[in-house]
Amino acid sequence: MISQRRCVITLCLLVIKFEFANLSSAPVECLKPFCQCQKKVNGKAVCSGRSLHYIPRLPKYVRSVTFTNTSIRFIDKCGLFNLTFHQIEKINFTGNVLRSIDKDTFLNLTFLDSLIVSSEPHLNITSLKLSFQSFPKLKMFELGFNFNFWKSLPRDMFNNYHVSNVKHLNLQGNSFTYVNFTTFKTITSLREISLANNSISRVSLTRLTSLIKLDMSSNLLPRVPTFCGRNDTSYFPNLDTIILSRNNIGFLGPKSFRCLPRLSTIYLDYTNIGKLQDNIFSSLPSLRTLHLLGIGNPLRSITQNAFNSSSLETLNLKASHFHFDIKHRYDANKIFASCPNLKILHLTENYMPFDDSTFQTIFRPLKKLNKLYLTSTKILNLPRNVFTNMKLLQKLNLDDNGINGWNDSYRIFGNMTHLKYLSLRHNHISVINETTFPDELLSRLKSLNLARNPFSCICDQMWFKNWIQKNGSILIEYPIGYKCRHPNSMNGLLLNDYKPTDKMCNPWNPLYTMAIVMGIVVLLILAIGSIAAKCQGNIKNYIYLLRVYHNRKQGYIPLDSEEDYEYHAFVVYCDNDRKWVHNDLLNKLENEEGLQLCIHHRNFIVGDSITVNVDNFLKKSWKVLVIVSNNFAQSEWCQWEVDVVQERRRRQGKEVIVPIILETIDSKHMTSQLRTLLDSTPSLRYRSGVGTELFWKGLLESLRKPLGHPPTSLLYSRI
Ligand SMILES: *[C@@H]1O[C@H](CO)[C@@H](O)[C@H](O)[C@H]1NC(C)=O
Ligand SMILES: *[C@@H]1O[C@H](CO)[C@@H](O)[C@H](O)[C@H]1NC(C)=O
Ligand SMILES: *[C@@H]1O[C@H](CO)[C@@H](O)[C@H](O)[C@H]1NC(C)=O
Ligand SMILES: *[C@@H]1O[C@H](CO)[C@@H](O)[C@H](O)[C@H]1NC(C)=O
Ligand SMILES: *[C@@H]1O[C@H](CO)[C@@H](O)[C@H](O)[C@H]1NC(C)=O
């Protein structure tokens, strides 16, 4: 047997000499169909196939080679001969049928720094151990012996100078039940060990000062190992990360994590811890990240100071199904009060409270939050005055809740001056409009996810459609994730394909018509009002004129005609109104219309007394014009004339007298005689400007109007 083997080796050496001589310089192809070589990806080659029995030559660039599912059984220096043409750095044997590895195997692989031997249950562990001596000195960086079903490790497994430089040791997926860490003590550079996926229920720790990361997830540990050595010294004084997820750990107390001064990250995901007690983590001065995913399943209670840690920055309680909506399970006031430096909080898949006030209480201490995940937490209404206090929040995830919509966007999203990423994916939001988010929030966001909401493709969505046109690039999953649910006829249509037009969405609203009509009516009323205020007299004059025409049509026969008199009218006026009488009245009636008026200034006979004059000339005048003004009302002489004139009215009827009101009479000047006159006789109101024509027309009509018509004055009594 021995001689046979020696013979094989000699043969191999002969072959080596031969091949070196002939083939070393020739370019080599990747061996088909077994191997796949990728020059770009760090010169990686993967060779597999049950009919591959040997290690082939590979292209020169190959640095890392994996043999998987081949029929390679034994390896030795000679078998690896073909790899000596390369600067091979990494070798991986996974799922072959390895039985043994020769102690000289790696002798000529001077660049080797990583060896993985996985899923090789038949490999003789002792032969592997002995082969370590052929590793290049102080070069090995990584060793991985995974899924080999090893039940235990020889105590002297790594008792070899050639592996003392290993930094990553992976022993996942074996069948260890007990691990004595003394085995690793000789690997003085060891930084990371993975013992995940074993059946470890017991460990014996020893001081490993270089260890930074320990992964013992998916084992059967009943409790957190004790990291304190004699005199409370730490076994792992530099340990930064410990992964204890998926173990049988059912209890954590204030003493669980002691003597780990540098520990910053703990994973306890899916452990059975149903109750988080006070000060579990408070003895860890460097703790920054706590992963408690799916803890307790469900987590039933959290005591006041469970998260007492002033250094804690990240807390992941995802999928713990904790009821923040059940008051006695925790203290809303205290729960996060002792970890005020929290920056990242995952509360996905828990039950958030329904009321704003509990929400506010829970989150009040967390002023430094950067990221908050409230995905799938049964929120139906966004809480007010909660996020608004998180001035540093950059990312908020509210996916997979039942959020419908909200009114008070400022009290929900106001003041969030740092928010950049907002996700409300898969809620019940149907319409997004200008009131949904505060303007300044939208302009600050870098990404917004509203996908998988049941959008209504109705005109109310116009604003959002227009917004998308300008800012759509920040929308995540647009357009494919945005579909219409309502109305039924549009169910399934992409929001992007819903094209409402202005015409469809802004039809002429009957309200607009009403508003316009009302506006016009109001304007008209105002206009008429102001015209009426200005032309009150004109209107009266006009009505007067109409009446005159009307009476004439009725066919009244004049009893007393103007031809019987010398003057057409006797003018009663006050001296102060002389100017108007002489200039305007005389000019118009005498010069233009050819009437003859009796003016006391001009016509009275000097020498006769006034009373005689008045009496005489009144008799010669067909009608009497009374020019009423404030001065007139104040003058006694004029009042006397009114009395005289009234006498004439009584005899001949009211058409005899035509009062002309020059200006509005102040009520304090109004005397009873004057009032009687104006009340009993239709009067004309003088207007300068616009109404002048009408006034003159009315005046002429009334001057020419025959006497003896039925009384009409009362209807038009004025002032
Ligand atoms: C080296 O590779 C060549 C071809 O790729 C193969 O024919 C030869 O048998 C291999 N040598 C060893 C020692 O396996
Ligand atoms: C334990 O610590 C004490 C005080 O810190 C010290 O006096 C003693 O020597 C230490 N013992 C050991 C074995 O290190
Ligand atoms: C929180 O932890 C610190 C540090 O361990 C401790 O001094 C303090 O008493 C704890 N607070 C409470 C309320 O238990
Ligand atoms: C926003 O902050 C200001 C000043 O800090 C505060 O007065 C105001 O009430 C806050 N608004 C909301 C909605 O929280
Ligand atoms: C925006 O949409 C909400 C919910 O549909 C609605 O209550 C609100 O009146 C809308 N605001 C505007 C300005 O259309």
Side-chain angles (χ1 to χ4, degrees):
M1 173 80 184
I2 287 172
S3 65
Q4 200 183 345
R5 175 144 189 167
R6 207 170 267 158
C7 180
V8 170
I9 289 170
T10 327
L11 189 70
C12 161
L13 289 176
L14 281 173
V15 170
I16 286 170
K17 278 192 185 132
F18 172 76
E19 289 197 353
F20 249 130
N22 293 290
L23 301 168
S24 61
S25 56
V28 182
E29 297 279 302
C30 200
L31 180 69
K32 282 182 181 154
F34 302 112
C35 301
Q36 292 190 328
C37 308
Q38 288 170 300
K39 189 170 185 175
K40 281 182 188 141
V41 189
N42 303 325
K44 225 174 152 175
V46 178
C47 299
S48 65
R50 285 294 173 206
S51 36
L52 186 63
H53 294 267
Y54 63 95
I55 291 170
R57 284 202 65 185
L58 293 164
K60 191 118 190 172
Y61 57 78
V62 171
R63 295 276 181 280
S64 159
V65 61
T66 297
F67 297 97
T68 178
N69 299 319
T70 69
S71 296
I72 298 169
R73 302 182 82 187
F74 301 102
I75 39 174
D76 55 18
K77 186 170 75 170
C78 185
L80 292 191
F81 167 73
N82 275 335
L83 298 182
T84 58
F85 294 100
H86 306 261
Q87 297 180 0
I88 287 290
E89 290 162 7
K90 299 181 195 313
I91 300 183
N92 181 337
F93 292 102
T94 295
N96 302 288
V97 288
L98 287 187
R99 299 283 155 140
S100 74
I101 297 182
D102 190 75
K103 64 180 177 4
D104 292 336
T105 301
F106 307 104
L107 212 51
N108 292 319
L109 302 178
T110 49
F111 295 93
L112 191 67
D113 64 23
S114 165
L115 174 67
I116 311 289
V117 178
S118 288
S119 303
E120 303 287 0
H122 304 294
L123 177 64
N124 181 326
I125 191 167
T126 311
S127 76
L128 174 67
K129 180 185 80 180
L130 292 174
S131 74
F132 293 168
Q133 63 181 287
S134 62
F135 284 155
K137 273 182 208 163
L138 296 179
K139 188 99 178 102
M140 289 309 285
F141 176 79
E142 179 184 33
L143 290 178
F145 309 123
N146 311 313
F147 302 99
N148 291 325
F149 297 95
W150 294 347
K151 290 208 157 55
S152 63
L153 280 176
R155 286 197 72 160
D156 59 350
M157 181 77 187
F158 303 105
N159 203 351
N160 189 311
Y161 172 66
H162 293 255
V163 297
S164 64
N165 221 35
V166 165
K167 293 185 177 54
H168 300 267
L169 177 61
N170 200 337
L171 293 165
Q172 280 191 57
N174 286 292
S175 305
F176 305 137
T177 53
Y178 165 73
V179 172
N180 188 338
F181 278 67
T182 327
T183 314
F184 313 119
K185 199 152 174 75
T186 47
I187 315 178
T188 50
S189 300
L190 192 60
R191 295 161 66 90
E192 296 184 12
I193 304 179
S194 173
L195 288 161
N197 287 299
N198 280 280
S199 305
I200 302 166
S201 60
R202 266 183 334 120
V203 287
S204 238
L205 302 187
T206 193
R207 191 167 163 89
L208 298 177
T209 53
S210 58
L211 196 65
I212 285 176
K213 181 172 176 184
L214 172 62
D215 184 353
M216 295 199 64
S217 56
S218 299
N219 276 288
L220 301 171
L221 289 174
R223 67 186 70 85
V224 178
T226 303
F227 301 100
C228 295
R230 224 182 296 138
N231 233 2
D232 276 358
T233 53
S234 173
Y235 284 132
F236 305 144
N238 288 304
L239 194 68
D240 174 273
T241 301
I242 188 162
I243 305 176
L244 292 169
S245 305
R246 298 182 196 271
N247 271 283
N248 287 348
I249 302 170
F251 171 84
L252 289 177
K255 294 192 174 163
S256 295
F257 290 98
R258 288 171 61 236
C259 304
L260 291 168
R262 310 288 284 269
L263 194 69
S264 84
T265 305
I266 301 179
Y267 289 82
L268 282 163
D269 303 342
Y270 303 102
T271 49
N272 297 329
I273 300 151
K275 182 172 183 181
L276 290 174
Q277 313 220 26
D278 282 349
N279 296 317
I280 302 171
F281 309 103
S282 62
S283 51
L284 295 166
S286 309
L287 184 66
R288 294 224 305 276
T289 305
L290 197 48
H291 291 266
L292 301 176
L293 251 96
I295 198 170
N297 200 24
L299 179 61
R300 282 181 305 278
S301 82
I302 301 177
T303 57
Q304 294 186 5
N305 293 303
F307 302 122
N308 180 12
S309 168
S310 55
S311 55
L312 191 63
E313 289 178 356
T314 301
L315 175 60
N316 191 337
L317 269 172
K318 183 176 170 181
S320 298
H321 301 108
F322 184 72
H323 280 273
F324 288 94
D325 55 336
I326 300 183
K327 282 199 162 41
H328 66 264
R329 300 214 167 159
Y330 72 112
D331 180 344
N333 272 301
K334 298 277 177 63
I335 181 164
F336 295 128
S338 47
C339 51
N341 292 314
L342 215 54
K343 290 190 175 133
I344 301 173
L345 180 58
H346 290 259
L347 291 175
T348 298
E349 288 174 55
N350 286 284
Y351 301 87
M352 292 319 286
F354 300 119
D355 59 309
D356 285 10
S357 74
T358 310
F359 235 115
Q360 288 158 11
T361 311
I362 293 175
F363 288 100
R364 189 171 297 127
L366 300 180
K367 299 231 181 307
K368 297 190 179 167
L369 273 189
N370 277 189
K371 295 179 185 166
L372 177 59
Y373 297 84
L374 291 169
T375 309
S376 207
T377 48
K378 313 273 185 237
I379 297 175
L380 301 178
N381 294 303
L382 285 175
R384 277 164 296 182
N385 300 324
V386 173
F387 310 130
T388 51
N389 292 323
M390 301 175 183
K391 302 255 159 61
L392 301 178
L393 200 68
Q394 293 186 12
K395 185 167 190 169
L396 177 59
N397 191 311
L398 290 158
D399 294 356
D400 300 323
N401 284 295
I403 300 162
N404 260 315
W406 51 90
N407 300 327
D408 219 351
S409 70
Y410 274 88
R411 291 174 70 193
I412 292 166
F413 296 117
N415 277 358
M416 300 184 74
T417 50
H418 282 70
L419 197 70
K420 294 204 174 69
Y421 308 93
L422 176 61
S423 189
L424 280 155
R425 189 179 193 276
H426 197 211
N427 276 285
H428 294 159
I429 302 165
S430 59
V431 172
I432 305 289
N433 62 28
E434 67 258 64
T435 59
T436 311
F437 301 106
D439 282 350
E440 65 274 13
L441 178 81
L442 280 183
S443 57
R444 204 178 300 120
L445 285 183
K446 287 216 167 83
S447 93
L448 174 62
N449 194 339
L450 293 165
R452 301 211 37 219
N453 276 290
F455 289 108
S456 290
C457 284
I458 53 175
C459 290
D460 292 357
Q461 210 72 264
M462 269 297 255
W463 181 88
F464 189 42
K465 293 274 311 174
N466 291 335
W467 181 86
I468 290 172
Q469 286 208 323
K470 283 182 237 131
N471 309 277
S473 59
I474 71 163
L475 270 191
I476 307 296
E477 290 182 57
Y478 192 81
I480 206 76
Y482 296 68
K483 289 188 182 154
C484 309
R485 177 77 53 82
H486 312 286
N488 270 341
S489 60
M490 304 231 188
N491 193 356
L493 183 75
L494 286 184
L495 184 62
N496 195 36
D497 295 338
Y498 167 60
K499 302 257 155 70
T501 59
D502 263 337
K503 212 168 149 194
M504 265 159 68
C505 289
N506 296 321
W508 191 248
N509 190 334
L511 282 179
Y512 298 163
T513 318
M514 267 173 74
I516 288 173
V517 165
M518 282 173 68
I520 290 173
V521 166
V522 167
L523 276 178
L524 272 178
I525 288 171
L526 284 177
I528 289 171
S530 73
I531 290 171
K534 273 198 183 137
C535 314
Q536 210 176 7
N538 296 338
I539 291 168
K540 292 240 168 229
N541 293 349
Y542 190 73
I543 290 169
Y544 185 95
L545 203 56
L546 278 182
R547 288 182 51 81
V548 170
Y549 280 126
H550 175 77
N551 289 339
R552 193 175 283 166
K553 265 196 204 140
Q554 300 274 312
Y556 291 110
I557 302 142
L559 298 172
D560 196 358
S561 108
E562 53 187 284
E563 280 96 54
D564 304 335
Y565 295 87
E566 188 173 339
Y567 298 102
H568 203 105
F570 179 91
V571 184
V572 179
Y573 65 100
C574 160
D575 233 25
N576 296 60
D577 301 321
R578 193 175 61 203
K579 197 168 161 226
W580 181 80
V581 172
H582 291 194
N583 292 351
D584 296 41
L585 189 72
L586 287 185
N587 189 41
K588 181 75 188 175
L589 297 186
E590 292 195 339
N591 299 348
E592 290 182 22
E593 300 297 332
L595 302 183
Q596 197 60 55
L597 299 182
C598 173
I599 303 292
H600 62 81
H601 251 89
R602 180 182 67 187
N603 302 84
F604 276 17
I605 293 162
V606 186
D608 287 359
S609 75
I610 287 177
T611 41
V612 173
N613 264 326
V614 169
D615 203 35
N616 281 340
F617 283 97
L618 260 181
K619 279 181 194 146
K620 294 179 186 170
S621 303
W622 187 44
K623 293 202 172 185
V624 182
L625 267 177
V626 183
I627 313 299
V628 184
S629 69
N630 278 306
N631 293 316
F632 180 87
Q634 281 173 284
S635 140
E636 277 178 36
W637 146 248
C638 294
Q639 295 294 323
W640 172 81
E641 276 193 306
V642 168
D643 284 343
V644 177
V645 163
Q646 283 284 49
E647 165 57 25
R648 175 81 172 268
R649 187 188 73 87
R650 272 190 288 278
R651 275 191 286 114
Q652 286 184 301
K654 60 183 166 22
E655 275 84 15
V656 162
I657 300 175
V658 181
I660 295 173
I661 300 168
L662 264 193
E663 60 190 10
T664 305
I665 308 300
D666 206 320
S667 56
K668 67 176 184 257
H669 302 144
M670 185 63 73
T671 60
S672 63
Q673 295 105 312
L674 193 55
R675 180 168 293 286
T676 317
L677 172 75
L678 294 176
D679 281 356
S680 57
T681 320
S683 55
L684 284 161
R685 175 167 277 261
Y686 175 70
R687 286 275 146 186
S688 57
V690 183
T692 321
E693 274 307 303
L694 197 58
F695 166 78
W696 292 123
K697 213 166 168 208
L699 180 58
L700 284 167
E701 278 300 330
S702 53
L703 280 177
R704 287 182 176 139
K705 188 173 153 194
L707 301 179
H709 290 178
T712 48
S713 63
L714 286 177
L715 272 172
Y716 297 96
S717 63
R718 49 158 303 103
I719 304 181

